[in-house]
Amino acid sequence: MSSLVVHFEIYASEPQRLIDFYSGLFEWRFEQFGDVPYWTIETGDGSIQMDAPGMGINGGLALREGPAPAADAPVNGCNVVIGVDDADAAVARAVELGGSEAVPAEDMRGVGRVAYLRDPDGNYFGIIAETLSDGTSAFDEAADGAGERISPAEADGSSEAADPMGATPEP
């Protein structure tokens, strides 16, 4: 067996609160596993199944044993990053559902528009969209800038518009 990530788990002080949050944000489906305080998470069409390959993984929601992380606590453990169509819309929806923004959405060439959030129980997670804030694909740029943060001026094209050909003479 290879070392691929095949499952994730989220811990919840109040499971129903996080079931409502994640199903409202990502349309994930939850099903309680027998009588134990554990729910399987189906993340959507195209996820890996026991009898079929896929592009994404499914997970589980477990009852937290201990206090939830404080709002200002550092990340302790692994982070799950979820692909979305629109990072800004997902951030807004997460906040509307009771989550909070941990790191504001930011464009990164060759990566996408990335943001980090906290769910209502304080769990930290990321979101990523291929489309940048200006509506272009993160992969339209040359690979030379991969991973480079794009300044707001670059994202709206204003720095290129001021001198599109780089023709301003040097002193």
Side-chain angles (χ1 to χ4, degrees):
M1 176 181 262
S2 63
S3 299
L4 298 174
V5 176
V6 297
H7 185 80
F8 67 89
E9 291 183 333
I10 300 169
Y11 296 95
S13 301
E14 299 174 45
Q16 190 59 53
R17 186 174 178 202
L18 292 193
I19 289 169
D20 293 344
F21 176 79
Y22 286 107
S23 60
L25 181 58
F26 299 124
E27 298 181 3
W28 289 351
R29 295 178 307 276
F30 292 77
E31 185 175 327
Q32 190 163 359
F33 189 75
D35 293 331
V36 297
Y38 189 89
W39 293 258
T40 59
I41 303 171
E42 291 284 330
T43 59
D45 294 339
S47 62
I48 297 169
Q49 302 296 315
M50 293 299 286
D51 59 350
M55 295 294 294
I57 62 173
N58 294 313
L61 182 81
L63 184 62
R64 183 183 303 282
E65 296 180 18
D72 61 349
V75 175
N76 186 6
C78 293
N79 179 38
V80 175
V81 178
I82 297 104
V84 298
D85 291 327
D86 182 330
D88 296 298
V91 169
R93 180 72 175 139
V95 170
E96 179 182 308
L97 291 167
S100 61
E101 188 176 59
V103 177
E106 178 174 32
D107 288 342
M108 294 181 73
R109 284 188 181 103
V111 176
R113 186 151 177 82
V114 180
Y116 291 90
L117 305 163
R118 288 191 187 272
D119 70 20
D121 208 47
N123 296 304
Y124 189 83
F125 67 98
I127 57 169
I128 186 169
E130 179 180 326
T131 304
L132 301 176
S133 59
D134 65 0
T136 63
S137 170
F139 305 100
D140 287 347
E141 300 288 333
D144 291 347
E148 177 183 328
R149 288 175 169 83
I150 301 171
S151 72
E154 289 176 292
D156 70 10
S158 61
S159 65
E160 292 179 7
D163 190 9
M165 303 299 288
T168 304
E170 292 188 28

